[in-house]
Amino acid sequence: MQKEFDHKLASDYNIKFNNEALLDEAFTQASYVNEHPDEDLKFYERLEFLGDAVYQLVVSDYIFKRYPEMPQGRLTRLRAAMVNRHSFSRFARECHFDKYIRLGKGEEKAGARNRDSLLCDIFESFIGAVYLDQGIETVKNFCRLVIFPKLDEGWFDEFFDHKTELQEAIQVNGPVDINYELLDEDGPDNDRQFKVAVLVDNQELGVGEGHSKKSAEQAAAKAALNKLGIKDQKLQ
Amino acid sequence: MQKEFDHKLASDYNIKFNNEALLDEAFTQASYVNEHPDEDLKFYERLEFLGDAVYQLVVSDYIFKRYPEMPQGRLTRLRAAMVNRHSFSRFARECHFDKYIRLGKGEEKAGARNRDSLLCDIFESFIGAVYLDQGIETVKNFCRLVIFPKLDEGWFDEFFDHKTELQEAIQVNGPVDINYELLDEDGPDNDRQFKVAVLVDNQELGVGEGHSKKSAEQAAAKAALNKLGIKDQKLQ
């Protein structure tokens, strides 16, 4: 397992640990330590503490430089979208970190390996271990490979409020009427589909679909922003 | 003013900016920019965004390494004590940053120069500017000179809950009776002084004074921790 993981880190992320014990620590849960009292093991929590701050800086530095005109408020919102526990567990799954966690038997049985909160912790402890062993530049490289491309793939779009975005964008020159109209509602109860149009001064500017009225409205607002050519409004 | 500030940064903190514009930006409030529309000035907010994350990492890195056995929970509490807006404004005052802020006339009249929230922003924007201009090592040096000694001077003690600390420390081997007893109450209404003893299994272990019962109890608990030789319990 260890060798397979070393190989993966080297081939996928160009990371080769000097101190393997740090990598072990990052992927070891307290339950495993408790079951192996003779091995003098450490569990991931301290590295998680450190990794949290490292990742926050690497993301802040990246978006600060990538969007040199973006005001503080938007930077803060974008950072919050990238630095949060929901995103962390997605990153951990994307990197298949779940395979390499060392768990106690009870936790294993309880399904901890697939628990969002654990995956999220492990993502941060991994970042902490890379930082300690390799320095911040290696963390930046990892993020360039794994995290930052997600920005262009729309991973964080759900954290943006497109309705507010649209309102801010079209009301700069004074108040305008914005209404959301339900066009269609279809499908069985457990898989309901909604179709919503956004009307700006009674003119249809975008249509969106979703499993709730709310998500369909967000999709419609996003479509309207695209149509207005302010697709990347959030990133300017 | 600019020259005086440059001199202060060099002599007090060994910092010499390459890009003076960044330093200007860090100390310029929006109100000043608005009053000088022709000068193409920037205000501090983006640097504040960046500095926040830089400072958080520098503190995390420092306490992680200084206290190699401290568990995550305590690290997190200690970081929260050092990384918060109350501390930031104290640091800014300590460094006399208030003197160098560029404000609009209205804000100046309104007393913004002494406003905690502004001083706190400026502390962060200063850190952001040093990081961009000089790199993280210079920020670390600044913190070694200005911030970290405060840890030993007790600046962050008020953020620790000594009563909880004492309880955790003496109840490790089972429940013990802990009581706080008011010994004395004195002074005029606007400057009342309380004196409290902490009794552990009916034995007096510490006495503390304060302007409220609560603060006197905290002081008594701290005295008890000292007596028990676990003065630096919070730091282990």
Side-chain angles (χ1 to χ4, degrees):
Chain A
M1 188 72 104
Q2 182 66 58
K3 273 201 174 162
E4 182 192 322
F5 193 33
D6 285 347
H7 180 72
K8 175 187 165 58
L9 290 181
S11 66
D12 291 4
Y13 313 123
N14 203 19
I15 297 175
K16 202 185 160 342
F17 266 77
N18 298 312
N19 180 1
E20 289 275 351
L22 273 174
L23 189 56
D24 289 343
E25 184 177 336
F27 281 80
T28 302
Q29 207 211 24
S31 64
Y32 185 89
V33 177
N34 294 336
E35 282 185 11
H36 301 77
D38 301 333
E39 293 182 36
D40 195 27
L41 296 170
K42 288 179 173 177
F43 51 89
Y44 68 71
E45 290 196 332
R46 277 175 46 92
L47 289 174
E48 178 202 352
F49 163 86
L50 185 61
D52 168 70
V54 173
Y55 178 68
Q56 169 111 342
L57 175 58
V58 168
V59 168
S60 303
D61 182 273
Y62 176 76
I63 61 177
F64 181 92
K65 289 169 182 167
R66 174 164 173 179
Y67 306 113
E69 302 300 329
M70 192 185 275
Q72 182 192 35
R74 280 175 191 273
L75 284 171
T76 303
R77 270 182 280 162
L78 179 54
R79 177 167 71 189
M82 298 175 75
V83 185
N84 70 71
R85 298 185 61 86
H86 175 69
S87 295
F88 294 169
S89 56
R90 288 180 79 188
F91 297 148
R93 282 205 175 83
E94 162 107 348
C95 297
H96 303 291
F97 282 171
D98 51 314
K99 280 179 69 178
Y100 307 103
I101 305 170
R102 301 200 294 183
L103 288 171
K105 283 170 196 155
E107 279 290 274
E108 188 72 84
K109 262 191 191 159
R113 192 172 294 280
N114 285 307
R115 205 183 286 148
D116 277 356
S117 60
L118 176 62
L119 288 167
C120 158
D121 290 352
I122 293 293
F123 174 77
E124 291 183 290
S125 61
F126 170 73
I127 296 287
V130 174
Y131 170 77
L132 277 185
D133 192 71
Q134 307 273 311
I136 201 161
E137 283 307 318
T138 307
V139 177
K140 284 184 184 172
N141 281 333
F142 172 78
C143 290
R144 263 179 225 123
L145 288 167
V146 176
I147 313 294
F148 300 149
K150 302 289 181 288
L151 201 51
D152 301 306
E153 289 170 23
W155 270 43
F156 311 113
D157 282 3
E158 67 190 277
F159 291 92
F160 289 103
D161 178 0
H162 298 301
K163 287 175 68 176
T164 306
E165 206 90 43
L166 180 64
Q167 199 174 333
E168 285 175 5
I170 62 181
Q171 293 195 336
V172 278
N173 298 318
V176 179
D177 251 355
I178 306 179
N179 288 298
Y180 291 85
E181 199 179 284
L182 185 63
L183 298 181
D184 198 13
E185 193 180 331
D186 207 0
D189 271 2
N190 63 350
D191 190 28
R192 205 100 184 122
Q193 189 75 14
F194 297 82
K195 192 170 175 178
V196 164
V198 55
L199 306 177
V200 176
D201 278 344
N202 291 320
Q203 201 189 334
E204 186 181 297
L205 213 63
V207 172
E209 297 188 10
H211 287 297
S212 67
K213 258 197 232 176
K214 208 176 149 191
S215 65
E217 287 176 4
Q218 287 290 343
K222 195 182 174 187
L225 284 165
N226 282 339
K227 195 167 181 177
L228 289 170
I230 39 179
K231 178 179 168 185
D232 287 321
Q233 174 72 10
K234 69 171 190 285
L235 304 180
Q236 261 137 44
Chain B
M1 189 73 104
Q2 183 67 59
K3 273 201 175 161
E4 183 192 322
F5 193 31
D6 286 347
H7 181 71
K8 175 187 165 57
L9 289 181
S11 66
D12 291 3
Y13 314 124
N14 203 19
I15 297 175
K16 202 184 160 344
F17 265 78
N18 297 312
N19 179 3
E20 289 275 351
L22 273 175
L23 189 56
D24 289 343
E25 184 177 336
F27 282 79
T28 303
Q29 206 211 26
S31 63
Y32 185 89
V33 177
N34 294 337
E35 282 186 12
H36 300 79
D38 302 333
E39 293 182 36
D40 194 26
L41 297 170
K42 289 179 172 177
F43 51 89
Y44 68 71
E45 290 196 331
R46 276 175 47 92
L47 289 174
E48 178 202 351
F49 163 86
L50 185 61
D52 168 70
V54 173
Y55 179 68
Q56 168 112 342
L57 175 58
V58 168
V59 168
S60 303
D61 182 272
Y62 176 76
I63 61 177
F64 181 92
K65 289 170 180 165
R66 174 163 173 178
Y67 307 113
E69 302 300 327
M70 191 185 275
Q72 182 192 36
R74 280 175 191 274
L75 285 171
T76 303
R77 271 181 279 163
L78 179 56
R79 177 167 71 189
M82 299 174 75
V83 184
N84 70 71
R85 297 183 63 84
H86 175 68
S87 295
F88 294 169
S89 57
R90 288 179 80 187
F91 298 149
R93 281 205 175 84
E94 163 106 349
C95 298
H96 303 291
F97 282 172
D98 51 314
K99 281 178 69 178
Y100 306 103
I101 304 171
R102 300 200 294 184
L103 289 170
K105 283 170 196 154
E107 279 289 274
E108 189 71 84
K109 263 191 192 159
R113 192 173 293 279
N114 284 308
R115 205 183 286 149
D116 278 356
S117 60
L118 176 62
L119 288 167
C120 159
D121 291 352
I122 294 292
F123 174 77
E124 291 183 290
S125 61
F126 170 73
I127 296 287
V130 174
Y131 169 77
L132 277 184
D133 192 70
Q134 307 272 313
I136 201 161
E137 284 306 318
T138 307
V139 178
K140 285 184 183 172
N141 280 335
F142 172 79
C143 290
R144 263 180 226 124
L145 288 168
V146 176
I147 314 294
F148 301 150
K150 302 289 182 285
L151 201 52
D152 301 306
E153 290 170 24
W155 269 45
F156 311 113
D157 282 3
E158 65 190 279
F159 291 91
F160 290 102
D161 178 358
H162 298 300
K163 286 175 68 175
T164 305
E165 206 92 44
L166 180 63
Q167 199 174 334
E168 284 175 6
I170 62 181
Q171 292 196 335
V172 277
N173 298 316
V176 179
D177 251 357
I178 305 179
N179 289 297
Y180 291 85
E181 199 178 283
L182 185 64
L183 299 180
D184 199 13
E185 196 182 329
D186 207 1
D189 271 2
N190 62 349
D191 189 28
R192 206 96 185 123
Q193 189 75 13
F194 297 83
K195 192 171 176 180
V196 164
V198 55
L199 306 178
V200 174
D201 278 343
N202 291 319
Q203 201 189 334
E204 186 181 297
L205 214 62
V207 172
E209 296 189 10
H211 287 297
S212 67
K213 258 196 234 178
K214 206 176 150 190
S215 65
E217 287 176 4
Q218 286 290 342
K222 193 181 177 189
L225 284 164
N226 282 339
K227 196 166 179 177
L228 290 169
I230 39 180
K231 180 178 167 185
D232 287 320
Q233 174 71 9
K234 68 170 191 286
L235 304 179
Q236 262 138 42

